[in-house]
Amino acid sequence: SFTMNMYLFVYDLMQFCGHSWIFTNMIIRFMTFGKDSLADTFYSIGLVMRLCQLFSVLEILHILIGIDKSRLLPRFLQITERIIVLFVVINSQEEVQGKYVVCVLFFLWNLLDVVRYTYNMLARMGIYYLPLTWLNFSLCIPLYPLSVLAKGFAICVSLPYFESFGTYSIKLPFPFTFSIYFPYVLKMYLLVLFTGMCFIIQNLFYERMAHLGTGNIKNKRS
């Protein structure tokens, strides 16, 4: 158990370092170059962002093997949402990468993750700092819906490019009469995205009550 706890601590530390670097880089670039920095956000931090999101897939494995007690479905939905939007939508369309919505989306993701991985690291050591605990389980409630709106907007912005270039659209040759028009797939995914948001928000409120209930706060203070 000590070995697993140490492994999770190292994992959280690596994610914290990655997201902190991205978050700090975005702030410094904006303070230095202003609005001009927004257009090339993806080119500046996209590689590290993709690495962090790929590593986050391990969190699903952590839950499956039982070393993380988080609920599987909400975490699975949150991770797959990011993977789909980042790798399928943004990474595949260079024209989308320069849009301001990408900067907004990355800012929201990294703000949430810096707080979450900081809380996780301290929790692995049995340290529960009340203001950080409150921030971790409260900040996500308003920011997660905003990130879903940004994801939806990014998908909508990308649709004309998927239509023009035919990216991921498949048309099988004769004698098959089956084809996949990818913009339709993205439009259907928008429904899944916003439906899943309702479920995840409900889970976020549940986690907040579980960790910030009166009894839990008294126990952590003592």
Side-chain angles (χ1 to χ4, degrees):
S1 181
F2 173 80
T3 303
M4 288 295 99
N5 199 55
M6 183 58 64
Y7 160 75
L8 291 173
F9 176 83
V10 172
Y11 169 81
D12 291 332
L13 177 61
M14 291 176 60
Q15 288 283 35
F16 169 78
C17 291
H19 288 289
S20 295
W21 182 88
I22 295 171
F23 191 68
T24 304
N25 187 289
M26 291 181 67
I27 293 176
I28 293 176
R29 285 175 53 79
F30 182 76
M31 293 177 64
T32 304
F33 303 107
K35 290 185 178 180
D36 294 336
S37 66
L38 303 181
D40 63 347
T41 295
F42 184 84
Y43 306 101
S44 303
I45 63 176
L47 176 60
V48 181
M49 191 70 198
R50 280 172 283 181
L51 289 174
C52 288
Q53 296 309 316
L54 282 176
F55 275 119
S56 70
V57 177
L58 289 173
E59 296 178 26
I60 299 175
L61 179 62
H62 297 164
I63 298 173
L64 288 174
I65 64 178
I67 62 175
D68 187 342
K69 302 305 180 183
S70 301
R71 298 176 67 187
L72 176 61
L73 184 56
R75 195 75 199 113
F76 175 80
L77 290 175
Q78 288 176 296
I79 292 173
T80 53
E81 285 173 8
R82 292 190 181 189
I83 293 294
I84 291 172
V85 172
L86 179 58
F87 287 92
V88 178
V89 176
I90 299 175
N91 191 62
S92 66
Q93 298 297 337
E94 188 174 352
E95 291 77 7
V96 178
Q97 296 169 9
K99 303 294 184 181
Y100 287 170
V101 66
V102 175
C103 181
V104 173
L105 191 57
F106 284 8
F107 180 84
L108 292 174
W109 284 356
N110 286 280
L111 177 57
L112 288 169
D113 285 339
V114 167
V115 173
R116 183 166 70 90
Y117 288 114
T118 302
Y119 171 82
N120 287 346
M121 281 192 301
L122 294 177
R124 307 295 180 200
M125 298 184 293
I127 300 173
Y128 295 94
Y129 186 49
L130 185 56
L132 180 60
T133 302
W134 182 91
L135 189 64
N136 180 61
F137 292 102
S138 301
L139 187 65
C140 55
I141 292 176
L143 292 192
Y144 174 72
L146 290 178
S147 72
V148 172
L149 290 175
K151 292 171 194 172
F153 187 74
I155 291 174
C156 292
V157 168
S158 71
L159 287 175
Y161 302 107
F162 280 104
E163 292 172 353
S164 301
F165 302 136
T167 310
Y168 301 133
S169 293
I170 301 172
K171 186 175 183 179
L172 297 178
F174 184 84
F176 303 100
T177 57
F178 179 75
S179 61
I180 298 176
Y181 188 55
F182 196 70
Y184 289 162
V185 176
L186 287 178
K187 290 176 182 179
M188 288 188 292
Y189 180 68
L190 282 173
L191 296 177
V192 176
L193 186 65
F194 285 99
T195 302
M197 179 185 70
C198 299
F199 171 74
I200 292 174
I201 290 176
Q202 183 181 17
N203 183 71
L204 292 175
F205 275 105
Y206 170 81
E207 288 185 341
R208 189 178 188 278
M209 287 298 298
H211 289 83
L212 296 178
T214 305
N216 288 330
I217 292 177
K218 288 181 179 178
N219 291 334
K220 288 173 183 179
R221 281 177 174 172
S222 60

